[in-house]
Amino acid sequence: MDGNRGSGKSELLLVDYAREVGKGWGAAWRGILFRKQLGDLDEMVRKAESLFGMLYGDGFRFLHSKSDYRCVWKTGEELLFRHLANLEEYSEYHGHQYPWIGFEELTQWEDDKPYRKMFSCCRPTMQGIPTRVRANTNPSGIGHNWVKKRFQLPKMHGRVIRKPGEEARVAIRLDLLENFILLHTDPGYINRIRMAASSPA
């Protein structure tokens, strides 16, 4: 998912994980959500607590200890919040298995190596469980060019890319103008975004 600020990319990433919560997978539905630096996940934690708190009530809680730092459900599912600064840090996850892997702000990684390496950890923890790798990003950042090339943007927005020997992939474009709740709650937000932009485009 890519798009401008305020389009709901982070919430959509969280909801994509939550699609399988409560479906009977229990502890087998285990996900991991990455940012390049752990401190960058603070806003995502706030959104997870707000969103999942509304959806699941006391059936959900967030463990704030940096050694835990995860969403947990009474039904056993877990979503870990972790950092992956570079390829060397992959060794911390080698041998792990996660049916769901997410990346917040994909263009913050300067190349695709840590992202692609983690694909080896995306595998089912029980028969029949789905597997997914998801990412979101703003159209900027040090990794802008490799993300644009991998997803063949803008030409292939919304179209599935299939290459021999690779998982199918698709980029979904989101726009602030589609976030009716935010714009209704704060109609002036779009003007603040314009003021903060480096160019009219």
Side-chain angles (χ1 to χ4, degrees):
M1 298 166 281
D2 71 293
N4 49 20
R5 300 187 71 167
S7 58
K9 298 181 301 297
S10 297
E11 291 83 357
L12 192 54
L13 195 60
L14 292 168
V15 169
D16 186 85
Y17 171 81
R19 285 170 48 198
E20 307 298 329
V21 171
K23 288 191 174 178
W25 304 118
W29 184 244
R30 192 163 183 253
I32 188 164
L33 177 63
F34 289 111
R35 278 291 298 247
K36 191 170 181 184
Q37 305 295 331
L38 188 62
D40 294 338
L41 281 165
D42 290 347
E43 179 63 11
M44 198 63 157
V45 169
R46 187 194 65 76
K47 289 179 180 181
E49 288 186 298
S50 174
L51 180 63
F52 294 152
M54 286 188 292
L55 292 173
Y56 301 101
D58 64 1
F60 157 83
R61 64 193 174 107
F62 193 90
L63 305 180
H64 282 271
S65 160
K66 293 298 182 183
S67 60
D68 282 325
Y69 224 49
R70 68 185 71 199
C71 298
V72 294
W73 283 262
K74 284 185 177 177
T75 45
E77 300 89 349
E78 291 186 332
L79 176 60
L80 285 64
F81 285 60
R82 297 293 185 267
H83 63 90
L84 183 66
N86 50 47
L87 186 58
E88 288 70 36
E89 288 190 355
Y90 163 77
S91 63
E92 297 177 29
Y93 308 102
H94 181 76
H96 293 199
Q97 53 185 16
Y98 306 98
W100 189 94
I101 298 176
F103 290 83
E104 169 84 346
E105 295 295 349
L106 191 58
T107 58
Q108 297 303 303
W109 282 270
E110 56 269 12
D111 60 51
D112 67 349
K113 291 174 184 170
Y115 167 73
R116 291 173 66 109
K117 195 76 169 174
M118 282 305 303
F119 276 57
S120 66
C121 297
C122 185
R123 54 185 189 263
T125 49
M126 67 183 291
Q127 188 173 359
I129 201 165
T131 57
R132 298 196 288 274
V133 176
R134 298 289 189 252
N136 72 15
T137 193
N138 286 302
S140 61
I142 194 170
H144 174 85
N145 289 335
W146 76 259
V147 172
K148 186 176 179 180
K149 181 179 179 182
R150 176 172 175 78
F151 292 95
Q152 300 176 30
L153 301 175
K155 181 179 79 170
M156 293 299 285
H157 267 129
R159 297 167 61 189
V160 178
I161 299 168
R162 300 183 195 281
K163 291 188 172 184
E166 295 185 14
E167 291 280 320
R169 57 186 177 267
V170 63
I172 300 168
R173 177 86 173 143
L174 302 178
D175 193 277
L176 169 61
L177 297 177
E178 298 172 313
N179 191 341
F180 304 120
I181 295 173
L182 174 60
L183 293 180
H184 177 74
T185 305
D186 185 2
Y189 181 70
I190 195 165
N191 290 328
R192 290 196 295 279
I193 290 293
R194 286 190 182 108
M195 288 170 48
S198 57
S199 76

